[in-house]
Amino acid sequence: MKTNLISALVLLVIFLSACTAPRYVPKTQDLDVNVYGSYIMIKPLQGTKVNGELLAVDTNRLTVLMDSGKQKKVSFIPLKEVKGFTLQYARPKSYWWSVGTFTALCISHGVWAAVTIPVNLIITAGIALGANNDFKYHKDDITYDQLKIFARFPQGIPADVVLNTKPQIKPRFMPHKGPGKK
């Protein structure tokens, strides 16, 4: 019984450690100065899920920057093909440390530990899960018009921004080559 409980706790910690936000998602205290878009996970009607930074939202599509580590790719998803999405606009505080800490403190309760350990596990895990779901919106919670404020470019992608994966280097001006000195 004790081995099963420890194994379950270890698996829970491993599982939850994989649920982290990308580095560009700001901490709660940095929300007002973040220059990036929010992290969005889109589930289309057909095909594979699209995860990445929300660049822009216009009247008929979402523009998402996907980063696979090796390369970055811009994807355009028509709004009519979106089944659902989850938007994370800030990193939540992690309270998973409290699950193990407060459970270990229950050992000092003696005989009552048989009651207080499960109660403590349920309560602290509930708080940690609740905090993990803070700073998230789902498709049912927000409209596409409201979704714009979480994009990198809330008013749309500017005309001077080129969206492709191959870098294009174009000089903004041509330097004047006057007569050289001899």
Side-chain angles (χ1 to χ4, degrees), residues 29-50:
Q29 64 267 22
D30 299 330
L31 272 176
D32 57 341
V33 293
N34 186 35
V35 295
Y36 297 103
S38 298
Y39 180 68
I40 191 163
M41 297 161 275
I42 301 171
K43 184 177 181 183
L45 292 172
Q46 297 176 352
T48 61
K49 291 182 181 179
V50 176

Side-chain angles (χ1 to χ4, degrees), residues 113-127:
V115 174
T116 58
I117 286 176
V119 170
N120 230 325
L121 277 173
I122 291 169
I123 291 172
T124 54
I127 290 170

